Amino acid sequence: MERAAVVAGLGGWVPPTIVTNDQLAGVLDTSDEWIRRRTGIRERRWVSPGQSTGDLAVEAGRRALSSAGLEDVDAVVLATSSPDRHCPATAPEVATRLGLGPVPAFDVAAVCTGFVYALATGAGMVALGAARSVLVIGADAFSTLLAPDDRSTRVIFGDGGGAVVLRTGSPTEPGALTGLNLGSDGSLSDLIEVPAGGSRQRSTGLPAKTEDTYFTMQGQAVYAQAVRRMAESVKETARRTGWDPAEIDRFVLHQANARILEAVARRLGLPPERFLSNIEVRGNTVAASIPLALADGVASGELRPGHKVVLAGFGGGLTWGSMALVWPRLAPPATASAEPAVASAGADPGPP
Ligand code: COA
């Protein structure tokens, strides 16, 4: 019988420190009104001093394992672009801290598409029979990469972790992942970058300029690419899954900007209510964004068993990707320690 990777557990976690727009407006030339109007973000969580991406990943992973009713998995894949250290990968330490033993554990770096790439990697391991279960985590502490005085990036990003457990199952059961579509365009790699710190800069032997050690983004160009690439990827995943886009109940897209979600909905000619959004209180949490939106969506009741769901990410690289599944019935706890935070209009009555 054909094997499929099936979502069997879900968890999310955000650090306790809330940073409001007004707090940012107190130290940067910005305002609550500008941030809300241009991004839809009201507040975000940031790690506190000493807290790291690995800490976020451990908390999210623990909740996903508990939701799946498992204490062990055969592998850990961690999507992150803000690892605890440049070397080694963060995943092995996360696996050890979760008590998972000497399982294969590695990082996947695809910035805001990282979770979809990690999900594809984990699903591939299951489909090959290389693992019966995989913990797939997306976690980023991107606040640590932002220049203290850069209002254009500082208002957007939040920190967090989200995770799913994949297990071996059948392609026809709820939770089975399907319709994978991934892509990249390295000719636009400069649109989203941390210029210094990598081998290209270090091989010069010259010290990095401080400003080059921070994250930079060409906002408008990224915006246009995000809308185009996510809309195209969603359509391709729907086609590969054999679904008409109009019959898809929920779109769980990377939460980059509320206006990007609305623009993708418009481009696809679909009701915006079907696009889950927690950006108001999470901000852009990079690789954690999609699994956190799933966890918040389940907690709020916006995402329910039986829903036809498409996940889609877009980020630096450039990279993009989508997958589809029928949402399965999962055991709680599925959500973050913080309150559920989904704000889709909820006008759509939901599952078939
Ligand atoms: N507060 C106030 N003004 C700000 C600001 C802030 N936080 N950030 C930028 N501005 C200013 C700019 O300096 C610019 O001023 P100017 O016209 O005097 O030069 C003006 O606002 C417009 O800037 P612009 O970059 O055109 O704004 P925008 O409407 O495109 O919004 C983003 C900026 C970043 C919110 C938006 O481009 C975006 O969301 N891009 C995609 C981000 C994304 O998806 N990133 C992650 C990809 S995974």
Side-chain angles (χ1 to χ4, degrees), residues 30 34 38 112 151 156 217 219-220 222 254 256-257 284 314:
T30 189
W34 191 96
R38 298 292 186 112
C112 296
R151 67 178 180 176
I156 293 174
M217 176 178 75
Q220 284 198 3
V222 169
H254 169 54
N257 183 325
N284 177 348
F314 169 85

Side-chain angles (χ1 to χ4, degrees), residues 118-136:
L119 211 51
T121 308
M125 292 173 83
V126 168
L128 275 172
R132 281 158 306 164
S133 55
V134 182
L135 176 61
V136 179

Side-chain angles (χ1 to χ4, degrees), residues 23-340:
Q23 282 172 290
L24 291 175
V27 290
L28 295 167
D29 182 15
T30 189
S31 65
D32 175 52
E33 193 274 332
W34 191 96
I35 302 168
R36 282 190 202 226
R37 188 162 44 83
R38 298 292 186 112
T39 71
I41 300 167
R42 176 163 56 89
E43 62 183 45
R44 72 290 288 144
R45 307 292 181 106
W46 282 356
V47 289
S48 45
Q51 211 169 24
S52 73
T53 293
D55 298 332
L56 306 173
V58 166
E59 292 297 339
R62 203 189 311 283
R63 283 164 176 75
L65 289 166
S66 159
S67 156
L70 290 178
E71 287 178 4
D72 294 304
V73 286
D74 293 341
V76 175
V77 186
L78 170 62
T80 188
S81 297
S82 52
D84 286 11
R85 290 169 281 178
H86 212 62
C87 168
T90 304
E93 202 180 338
V94 168
T96 296
R97 289 174 63 189
L98 287 169
L100 297 174
V103 294
F106 56 95
D107 292 1
V108 167
V111 202
C112 296
T113 321
F115 185 74
V116 181
Y117 270 76
L119 211 51
T121 308
M125 292 173 83
V126 168
L128 275 172
R132 281 158 306 164
S133 55
V134 182
L135 176 61
V136 179
I137 309 174
D140 269 300
F142 233 62
S143 65
T144 61
L145 295 177
L146 308 176
D149 57 352
D150 185 356
R151 67 178 180 176
S152 68
T153 57
R154 219 161 169 74
V155 302
I156 293 174
F157 291 94
D159 300 333
V164 300
V165 172
L166 300 180
R167 64 159 172 83
T168 307
S170 123
T172 54
E173 68 180 300
L177 290 169
T178 183
L180 174 65
N181 168 249
L182 296 175
S184 77
D185 180 359
S187 73
L188 296 176
S189 63
D190 293 352
L191 293 186
I192 294 173
E193 63 169 340
V194 179
S199 56
R200 188 176 293 172
Q201 174 263 315
R202 292 170 77 102
S203 70
T204 64
L206 300 170
K209 289 188 214 137
T210 304
E211 65 268 28
D212 286 347
T213 63
Y214 293 116
F215 174 86
T216 65
M217 176 178 75
Q218 294 178 39
Q220 284 198 3
V222 169
Y223 187 103
Q225 285 285 330
V227 173
R228 177 183 151 207
R229 294 299 189 181
M230 282 200 284
E232 284 172 357
S233 189
V234 162
K235 269 200 268 189
E236 183 55 24
T237 282
R239 193 188 66 75
R240 291 181 189 192
T241 308
W243 291 348
D244 181 339
E247 65 175 310
I248 298 168
D249 301 297
R250 294 291 181 265
F251 297 86
V252 184
L253 270 46
H254 169 54
Q255 307 281 304
N257 183 325
R259 287 158 53 217
I260 290 178
L261 300 180
E262 288 159 18
V264 173
R266 265 199 310 278
R267 207 171 170 119
L268 292 170
L270 294 169
E273 298 79 28
R274 294 192 199 170
F275 289 69
L276 291 195
S277 178
N278 63 358
I279 195 160
E280 188 182 5
V281 294
R282 302 284 185 237
N284 177 348
T285 55
V286 192
S289 161
I290 291 173
L292 264 182
L294 290 172
D296 285 334
V298 168
S300 71
E302 292 288 323
L303 177 59
R304 297 188 286 280
H307 273 147
K308 287 181 175 164
V309 180
V310 170
L311 318 175
F314 169 85
L318 299 177
T319 52
W320 56 87
S322 303
M323 282 185 113
L325 74 163
V326 173
W327 193 252
R329 189 168 296 283
L330 298 176
T335 191
S337 62
E339 73 289 348

